[in-house]
Structures are given as structure tokens and as C-alpha cells.
Amino acid sequence: MKLFKTTLILFFSILIISCSSKDDTPTNIEVQDFVWKGLNAYYLWQDQIPDLSDRRFNNDQELYSYLSAFNDPESFFYSLLYLPNEYPKDPNRTYSWIVDDYVALRQALQGTRETTGIKLEGADFLDGSGGFYIYVYDVVKGSDADLNGVTRGMLITEVNGTTLTRNNVNSLLANNSFTIHLADYNTGNPVSNGTIITLTKGVTTENPVKEAKVIIDGSHTIGYLMYNQFSSNFDAELNAAFLKFKNDNITDLIVDLRYNGGGSVQTATYLGSMITGQFNGELFSKEVWNSKVMAVTDPNFLINNFTDRILNKDNNGNIILDESINSVGLNTVYFIVSDDSASASELVINALDAYIDVKLVGIQTYGKHVGSITLFDSDNFRENGPGFNSNHTWAMQPIVLEIQNKNGQNKPDGFIPEVTMDEDPGNLGILGDPTEPLLQRTIQYIVTGAKGTFSTRNRSVIKTSPSWNSTMINPDYNNMYVDFK
């Protein structure tokens, strides 16, 4: 998505508050000034926040007086958000966030973060005792957890010798180094087996293309892709997976998004184009921004079309990837989903559903149809834009848009599969293996067409709230974003 210079000039000319020179802004509130002006310009719910109103202040001096009452830019940022709409499932959490290190923010959006590489989900003991444990559902390749032999399916009841509860799990895992105490499943009431593993966090980059393979089942040649984040840094790897599928003449495709919380809208558009190919140039999705942006923006700048080419550029406009998309031209696609499937994952499902037959296996998806953008402290809020403020490294990622398919539809409550089945901590299986329960059931769906509910653990397959997941502590949890160029 691009907003061109002429649009920006018109946009900023209609603001009531003048954008005075940064040299005139008191240094003790320059970050707060950036926060207010960025949210006033682009925040999706700007018109719902009285303190973000265009008529809240008559001049910059009134604004500066208001800003001087806030010493902490982070708390000031969150005080301006519209919580009920941001995260209706949990009013104590927001989709928008702010950071004091935009380098770390950029890295997180591309799958690089400081982590042990262990991915965990929480579960309650089945005996009703109130006990709580966590289990490993995935491990990042090459991470410390991977190197120390941690594997999918391991159960943990203690960290650093302390029994886990829902209240202490985040704090126990926050340390740079910690020990995990493993347990045996014991019919859903885990008991310690005495194994202890020490893990240390390190900067790790995850390739989101976890698995890409072809499975033969009778007359069906099935492509299987496990994809864990819409990261533009790995668009070439994603495209290579589809070249394999194309060369192997797949008849069916399973895209496993059960752990994919979202990412780049542009990459989501690429994935949709790889799955199809017959809709090149047609509308994939459209964006709805706040009324101020919509009033001055050419609608053509707010749409994302199916494409036959990957064209990625860096922040300076240099081309870093330019290649033809490998499309498989399918009219039906199968997605494995869970309550951890969100944002850009749901976008692909929603966008394709307007064109082809979309089948779902798993449990109800998370439900997030809004997207964000990275704003920097410059005159046009772009990185290294005119007047870029090098005195600090703050940046913010506010929600700025709602995204819809070509019919103007989305699913804010998430998508409910036709085949409902949850993962069982006592029998997770090996990801990518045809006997892994969810993959096996999806293959069965392809071959026989059989639908139904196949819940394999004591948790409803119809979601009421997200379960605990270790990725929830990341500020970019379940994020979807567009490029601001």
C-alpha cells in the first residue's frame, strides 16, 4: 500500500493542529508530541478519542501544555487507545503498541527476536485439582532449545524448581536463562520424570516455512506447507516451496496456519497468489482507514490485488527481491487452523473464500481483522523521512485499518472449521508427518470429504477466549501490518 506525496500534502494541510518545526518542540516532550500527532493522523479510532480530536487544541502551545503532564511516552500512548474495540476479548490488552527501540521492532516483524526458541501452550490438569502445566508445541530450528534437545510434545510442570501456575508462568519464563522440569502426561495430570534442561535466550531468526513436502495418498498428490509467520524476508523461501508443489503437479494443497499469528499483508497477498494464479490483477483485499485518511486518499492506493510477481524493496527503495510467483492454480485449498491463527492468516482465508472453495480443519481462529503500520518521528512519519528525529529511537505500531475481502466482508469473531479438532497434548505427533493427528484428519477430509467434530482433549473446539501461549508476551503478538512507503 502506498500513500503518495500529493496525498500526504493534502492530508496534513487539513489538520487543525499545525506541524511546527521540531526545533520548536520542547525536548522533554518531543516523543509525546510524536505520539499525539501520529495517532491524531492515522489511528483507526481517532474520532472516538476526545483527546485526539482535531479541535482539542487551538495551537501548538496548548498541545505542549497538555503533553507536559505526561512524563512517560509509553503510558501516554496507551492512555490514548480505544481499548474496547482494540481487544474486545481482553480489555487489558491492545493490538497497538509502542517501543523505545525501532531496530528491535523491525527485527521482530521479520521473525528475529531474543528467545530460547521454545514455543509453549498452557493446559489445566484434567482431574479438576487446579493444576497447570505447559507443553512444547514447536521449537525454532537452530535455537538454544533445539540444540539442547527440546522437542515437540515435552511437558513442563516446573520452571527453576517452582511449580507453574497461570499467574507465575510469564514471570518464570522472563529470565534470560531458566531450567525446565519435564513431566510425563499421566492421562492429563502430569507427574515429574526428573529430567531438567537449562535454556538460555539468544537472538534467533526463524524461517517461517517450517515444512514443505508432498504426500501421496492414492490418486491425491497433496502439497503440505506449514507456515508460521508472514515475513517478507522469507518470501523467496515461500515461493520456492510453491515451485516444488508446481513441479510435483500437486492435486491438493494443505496450508498449515495453526501457529501463524500474522504479519505482512503484502506477503499474505503473495501467498494467495501462489495458491491460485488464475485471478491475477483482481482484488485480493481492501483497506478501510480512518475518515481523515479515506477523505484524501485515492481508493486505488488502499487495495491489494492478486499478482504474478514478488517485488520487495528496502527502506530506501532498493529492490531486494524480484521474481515471478510460482502459482499452482487451485480451486480448492485446505487450511489447518487454531485459536493461534490470526490476522494475516485470517486475511488469506477470507480473501480466497471470495474466489475459491476454502476448507478448514482445526478449531475456531482468533478473530482479528485490523492492521497496523510502523510510525517514526519524522515530518511524514516514515523512517528517515524529512525532519527525522535522531534524538531518540521510539516508534509506534498503531492500528490504522480494517481489512476486507472483495465483497466487503471479514470475520471479527474468527472462522469456525467444518472439521473441528483440537490438538491433544498427550498425542501431538510430529509436524509434517502424515500420521500427525491434525494433518492426518485433513488428508482424510481431502480423500473422503468427511466432516464432523473430533475433539481430542477436554477443551471446547468453539473458542471463548485465547488459551495461554508463550507468544502472547511478544508485543507483536497476532499482528498484521502494511508497508508505509
Side-chain angles (χ1 to χ4, degrees):
M1 191 286 300
K2 297 182 179 180
L3 296 176
F4 290 92
K5 290 182 179 179
T6 53
T7 300
L8 283 169
I9 292 171
L10 178 60
F11 178 37
F12 287 107
S13 70
I14 68 172
L15 296 182
I16 300 299
I17 299 298
S18 63
C19 294
S20 60
S21 169
K22 292 186 180 300
D23 293 337
D24 297 332
T25 305
T27 56
N28 65 313
I29 59 168
E30 59 185 1
V31 179
Q32 291 89 324
D33 182 64
F34 152 60
V35 167
W36 190 90
K37 288 177 178 174
L39 292 179
N40 168 266
Y42 288 107
Y43 188 48
L44 181 59
W45 299 290
Q46 179 262 342
D47 62 350
Q48 302 294 316
I49 311 300
D51 279 343
L52 288 177
S53 170
D54 293 341
R55 294 175 172 79
R56 175 67 172 82
F57 308 103
N58 293 315
N59 52 55
D60 283 334
Q61 293 309 313
E62 286 188 10
L63 172 62
Y64 296 157
S65 177
Y66 163 76
L67 296 177
S68 64
F70 301 91
N71 296 321
D72 177 30
E74 182 176 17
S75 60
F76 175 57
F77 171 85
Y78 287 110
S79 74
L80 292 172
L81 300 185
Y82 189 56
L83 292 180
N85 271 357
E86 280 246 17
Y87 200 94
K89 305 175 190 69
D90 182 357
N92 296 315
R93 187 184 177 94
T94 66
Y95 290 139
S96 303
W97 79 96
I98 188 170
V99 296
D100 60 4
D101 180 0
Y102 50 69
V103 174
L105 170 61
R106 281 198 303 262
Q107 291 176 337
L109 294 178
Q110 295 299 337
T112 298
R113 64 181 77 251
E114 190 171 27
T115 176
T116 64
I118 189 172
K119 297 184 182 182
L120 304 160
E121 183 143 351
D124 296 313
F125 280 42
L126 295 184
D127 61 7
S129 65
F132 176 76
Y133 68 98
I134 57 181
Y135 60 92
V136 180
Y137 67 83
D138 196 13
V139 178
V140 178
K141 293 179 181 178
S143 66
D144 190 62
D146 184 33
L147 297 176
N148 279 283
V150 178
T151 58
R152 172 176 164 87
M154 287 183 171
L155 278 64
I156 303 165
T157 53
E158 299 176 37
V159 172
N160 293 334
T162 300
T163 301
L164 286 169
T165 68
R166 289 185 177 273
N167 292 328
N168 68 13
V169 60
N170 286 333
S171 61
L172 289 173
L173 296 173
N175 297 322
N176 287 330
S177 181
F178 52 82
T179 60
I180 56 174
H181 301 245
L182 304 186
D184 296 325
Y185 185 62
N186 188 37
T187 64
N189 306 294
V191 293
S192 176
N193 60 26
T195 303
I196 300 175
I197 301 175
T198 299
L199 299 176
T200 302
K201 294 179 181 178
V203 177
T204 304
T205 299
E206 179 181 4
N207 181 348
V209 183
K210 178 79 174 181
E211 296 284 345
K213 64 193 303 182
V214 173
I215 301 167
I216 306 296
D217 192 303
S219 62
H220 295 269
T221 302
I222 304 168
Y224 171 74
L225 171 72
M226 179 162 222
Y227 189 53
N228 288 339
Q229 182 181 8
F230 290 83
S231 170
S232 61
N233 278 5
F234 291 91
D235 285 345
E237 287 80 357
L238 180 62
N239 202 29
F242 275 83
L243 177 61
K244 174 179 175 60
F245 296 154
K246 186 175 181 179
N247 289 340
D248 287 343
N249 297 311
I250 63 170
T251 58
D252 307 274
L253 176 65
I254 299 170
V255 181
D256 194 337
L257 300 175
R258 75 182 85 174
Y259 306 138
N260 192 321
S264 165
V265 168
Q266 177 175 272
T267 297
T269 307
Y270 292 156
L271 176 59
S273 301
M274 293 172 194
I275 293 170
T276 55
Q278 63 270 44
F279 307 109
N280 185 44
E282 297 188 44
L283 181 66
F284 179 78
S285 64
K286 52 188 176 182
E287 303 163 7
V288 179
W289 293 54
N290 71 33
S291 59
K292 295 198 302 184
V293 176
M294 297 296 289
V296 298
T297 304
D298 184 335
N300 292 321
F301 298 159
L302 302 180
I303 64 174
N304 306 288
N305 290 330
F306 287 96
T307 180
D308 60 1
R309 192 157 202 87
I310 295 175
L311 182 61
N312 292 351
K313 300 180 181 180
D314 64 18
N315 294 326
N316 296 316
N318 301 312
I319 295 175
I320 56 178
L321 181 63
D322 183 1
E323 61 185 38
S324 297
I325 281 180
N326 299 307
S327 300
V328 292
L330 296 178
N331 291 307
T332 301
V333 61
Y334 296 78
F335 290 101
I336 298 177
V337 297
S338 75
D339 55 358
D340 294 319
S341 306
S343 297
S345 289
E346 294 171 305
L347 167 60
V348 173
I349 294 168
N350 190 42
L352 290 182
D353 189 54
Y355 289 91
I356 66 174
D357 195 4
V358 174
K359 310 285 191 181
L360 304 181
V361 176
I363 62 171
Q364 185 178 352
T365 64
Y366 181 81
K368 181 174 178 288
H369 62 298
V370 290
S372 65
I373 205 163
T374 308
L375 299 182
F376 295 88
D377 191 1
S378 69
D379 292 342
N380 62 7
F381 300 107
R382 273 72 165 174
E383 185 175 10
N384 299 321
F388 183 82
N389 190 343
S390 59
N391 294 332
H392 65 82
T393 57
W394 288 84
M396 53 184 174
Q397 195 79 24
I399 293 297
V400 298
L401 62 93
E402 174 189 338
I403 203 155
Q404 304 170 345
N405 68 12
K406 77 165 186 176
N407 299 322
Q409 300 169 331
N410 51 40
K411 293 277 189 177
D413 293 323
F415 294 84
I416 299 176
E418 311 87 62
V419 177
T420 51
M421 179 177 179
D422 200 358
E423 289 193 314
D424 178 2
N427 180 32
L428 289 178
I430 299 172
L431 292 172
D433 190 299
T435 64
E436 184 272 314
L438 275 170
L439 177 54
Q440 183 180 53
R441 183 63 188 86
T442 309
I443 294 171
Q444 182 187 6
Y445 189 21
I446 290 173
V447 174
T448 68
K451 301 179 182 180
T453 299
F454 300 84
S455 187
T456 58
R457 63 186 277 201
N458 190 23
R459 188 175 82 172
S460 172
V461 294
I462 303 301
K463 168 180 60 62
T464 55
S465 63
S467 57
W468 181 88
N469 186 298
S470 58
T471 61
M472 288 179 170
I473 65 174
N474 300 326
D476 60 319
Y477 172 66
N478 287 358
N479 176 56
M480 173 170 59
Y481 61 91
V482 296
D483 296 323
F484 199 15
K485 298 178 180 177

